[in-house]
Each structure stands twice: as structure tokens, then as C-alpha cells.
Amino acid sequence: MTRKPLRVLVLVHETLVPPESTQGFTDQEIDEWRTEYDVTTCLKAMGHDVRVLGLGDNLSDLRAAITDWKPDVAFNLLEEFQGIVTYDQYVVAFLELMKLPYTGCNPRGMMISRDKVLSKQILAYHRIPTARFALFPRKRKFVAPRRLKFPLFVKSATEDASLGIAQASIVTDVAKLKERIEFIHEQTSSDALVEEYVEGRELYIGVLGNDRLTTFPVWELSFGTLPDVMAGIATRKVKWDRKYQQKHGIGTGPARELPEGMPQKVAQAARRIYRALSLSGYARIDMRLTAEGQLYVLEANANPNLAQIEDFATSALASGLGYDKALERILQLGLTYQAAWRET
């Protein structure tokens, strides 16, 4: 626990600076900046001196805030910079150059985990099971993969938050594969990643730490009343459309009736993945558990959603770590992370 109040500079996207109160806003409006509101409100209630900085496409305001206000730590809630998802790692690199401690993942871990192809190659090197895959770059002639078996799952190689994922993402023949790859290229302006589809239960597990790692209870995404043909795919509507979730009883919660020893196996795999991908701070690891009891890594999410109602916070609470204690722990991990500038 911190011994004194800290000056905390909370970094958010310029359109997500939260109001002082949620009064007068609809649930849909609140959802846009719920994480930012929850984190800043809790930090203030804990006695910290909090300043929120909205960032868009330049770093001059950040430099000014650091040099003029002299914060103790930056609480990083950015998910993009200059409209590009992978550019938020450069903001964190800038914080290191300014020698300011920050919460969440380091630039190297962010770069590796956001690059889905590179992360899968690293996991394969470490013999951590992940679905076989192929990359289909933009502006390159389509050639049907020979080593992959249908059905295949097609998604963006870089975008997150289920962008571009729908029922049509699962394809069963070459013609549909080519069509979906072209769709990803056009709609997301990114390369397409094609994987062998792994059918099974979708499990999530939160990991907290730098060197010594803590894992939270295993969480599971339930597809509720969705028919079998639609279950098993975490589309954008499944993840973010609250009316759709309520209609079909979709939600996440503790994974029930897992095979004996599976929670420990998931936790052990999560720690191996976390270290293999050079993650730090906190992350959520997504996996699939097949009917045969085989675990496959879907992806590792550095700096996952910290809203009080989301998976990371609710699973932390289930382990006995309340929201304020979880944020305090994240702050401490940021303050004690051994960045290169601290070693010189």
C-alpha cells in the first residue's frame, strides 16, 4: 500500500475525459467512459491527487503536464494514439524517456502482445498450444493455405475489441475464406490473420504482477441462449452490446464444473504466457478449453478493461481483492517496475 497520497496523472483519450458525476447520462453514454470514470473516482476517494489528461494526436500536453505538475505516476488508460491502436505503446515509451513511472504494461510487452502473429510465433517457440495460423497481408495475391484445416477463423492481425469479428468470420471453404480475408482488408485496413477454429469453452484469467505474479479465479464467457451455430464467437455485439447481452443472457462469471486440476493448469499456462510475451503490470489471458480437455491460447490482452463491472475487476474481487485494493496494487507495480532508466 502507498504510504502517502500520490500525484496521479490519468491518461485517457481526449474524447473519454469523464465528468464529475454520472447524473443525467444514459447507460449507453456512460459505457463510453465508464472505465475512466471508475478509475478516477476511486483514486480520488482513496485520497490521491488526481489530474486527468485527454490525449489525441500529440505529446506536447503530456510533456507539459509532466514538467509543470511533476506527477508521481501516470495511470495509463489509453487504448490508442493518433487513432492507431498499436501507437499507445509509443506513449508509454515516451513516459520512460521522461523517467515517469506508469501503470500497466511496458512498451515491449505491448508491442509483442498486440502483434498477434509475432505473439503466436513466440508462444509456439515456448511450446504453448495455440491454433495453427497463416497471415494474409494486404495488397498481396490470395493463395489458399495448404496446411490449415477447415473450419477457419478470420480476424484482423492488429485490431482488438472484436473489430471485424462476426458469424461470417468462421469459414468452411476456400471461396468464403477469400471473401472474408478481403472483407478484413477493406473494413479494418489491416492484414488478416487466419487460424484453425478451436471449438470449446472460452476462458479468461486475470494476471497481476511484474516479477511475482498473482492470478485470479478463472472466468468464462457464457453465450446464454444463443443457438449453437452462433455460440462460441465473441463478436462485437456479444462483447459490447448490453441490450443484446440481456436479451440472450450473455455474460461472464466464474467458470463452473471445470475438470479436476484445470483451474491450476489455466493459471500455470497464464503465467507462462505472461512471461513469454514480456508482459508487466496486469493482463487478461484468453483461452479455449476443448471437450477433450486441451487448452489453447487465443490471445493475451495487455492493460485490459478496468471498469468495476468488467472481468478483471470482478475476478479480482472474487479472489478477495476489492476494486480500490486492485487499483492500489496496480499503482505500486507501476512505481516499482524496473524500467531501463532505473538501472543506469
Side-chain angles (χ1 to χ4, degrees):
M1 299 294 287
T2 52
R3 299 177 182 177
K4 63 182 180 66
L6 299 170
R7 285 188 175 187
V8 183
L9 182 66
V10 181
L11 306 182
V12 306
H13 190 272
E14 61 184 354
T15 64
L16 299 177
V17 175
E20 291 295 319
S21 169
T22 59
Q23 284 190 324
F25 293 96
T26 66
D27 287 343
Q28 185 175 0
E29 290 171 329
I30 294 172
D31 278 342
E32 291 293 318
W33 36 260
R34 185 184 296 275
T35 299
E36 292 77 7
Y37 178 82
D38 285 354
V39 169
T40 54
T41 302
C42 186
L43 291 175
K44 290 175 182 176
M46 291 156 59
H48 297 300
D49 186 3
V50 177
R51 183 176 295 187
V52 180
L53 179 63
L55 290 177
D57 61 1
N58 70 77
L59 294 173
S60 58
D61 290 342
L62 177 55
R63 174 185 281 275
I66 294 172
T67 55
D68 296 344
W69 192 49
K70 295 179 173 55
D72 296 302
V73 62
F75 203 112
N76 180 27
L77 293 178
L78 291 172
E79 294 185 349
E80 64 176 47
F81 184 67
Q82 294 184 346
I84 300 174
V85 172
T86 54
Y87 273 17
D88 59 348
Q89 70 202 39
Y90 299 125
V91 179
V92 176
F94 181 78
L95 295 175
E96 290 208 0
L97 293 176
M98 294 294 291
K99 298 185 178 182
L100 178 67
Y102 55 86
T103 65
C105 192
N106 66 83
R108 176 183 172 85
M110 292 175 76
M111 182 274 290
I112 294 174
S113 61
R114 295 279 174 78
D115 188 328
K116 295 183 176 68
V117 175
L118 177 59
S119 63
K120 286 173 74 69
Q121 290 169 335
I122 292 172
L123 294 175
Y125 173 83
H126 287 278
R127 298 182 180 180
I128 297 171
T130 182
R132 291 198 296 178
F133 70 96
L135 180 68
F136 290 81
R138 297 171 64 205
K139 301 179 181 179
R140 187 133 353 139
K141 183 180 178 181
F142 171 80
V143 178
R146 295 180 179 179
R147 298 183 179 181
L148 300 185
K149 296 180 180 179
F150 289 98
L152 299 174
F153 187 72
V154 187
K155 62 183 179 181
S156 165
T158 54
E159 294 291 344
D160 57 7
S162 299
L163 186 64
I165 294 179
Q167 297 302 318
S169 298
I170 295 182
V171 297
T172 54
D173 57 51
V174 173
K176 290 180 180 177
L177 173 62
K178 183 174 184 292
E179 179 183 335
R180 194 64 190 179
I181 289 172
E182 291 173 350
F183 172 85
I184 291 295
H185 288 167
E186 293 171 5
Q187 295 296 315
T188 69
S189 298
S190 65
D191 296 340
L193 177 63
V194 176
E195 303 173 313
E196 291 185 351
Y197 177 65
V198 177
E199 187 171 353
R201 299 170 66 176
E202 184 145 332
L203 306 179
Y204 304 144
I205 184 167
V207 185
L208 183 66
N210 293 332
D211 300 315
R212 299 179 61 183
L213 305 182
T214 299
T215 55
F216 299 142
V218 181
W219 241 230
E220 181 172 9
L221 173 61
S222 170
F223 292 90
T225 60
L226 285 178
D228 290 342
V229 70
M230 297 177 68
I233 310 174
T235 64
R236 202 168 183 83
K237 287 177 72 69
V238 166
K239 281 195 172 182
W240 303 109
D241 190 326
R242 299 208 181 276
K243 289 184 179 179
Y244 188 78
Q245 292 169 348
Q246 292 170 1
K247 177 182 177 181
H248 294 285
I250 299 166
T252 56
R256 308 292 186 189
E257 299 179 2
L258 289 173
E260 185 176 352
M262 186 55 66
Q264 294 81 2
K265 189 175 180 180
V266 172
Q268 182 182 35
R271 289 192 289 269
R272 288 185 64 203
I273 294 161
Y274 196 91
R275 292 192 171 103
L277 300 182
S278 301
L279 300 175
S280 61
Y282 62 101
R284 191 192 73 235
I285 312 297
D286 300 354
M287 305 184 200
R288 275 285 167 94
L289 175 63
T290 69
E292 296 74 32
Q294 176 65 56
L295 277 176
Y296 288 90
V297 185
L298 295 180
E299 59 186 11
N301 297 278
N303 299 355
N305 193 318
L306 281 181
Q308 199 161 353
I309 62 173
E310 291 294 337
D311 303 322
F312 191 87
T314 54
S315 60
L317 181 61
S319 73
L321 196 65
Y323 193 61
D324 57 342
K325 298 294 191 299
L327 295 189
E328 194 72 40
R329 181 77 180 118
I330 288 170
L331 278 175
Q332 281 301 303
L333 288 167
L335 287 165
T336 58
Y337 175 70
Q338 284 297 112
W341 61 267
R342 282 180 160 152
E343 299 171 1
T344 57

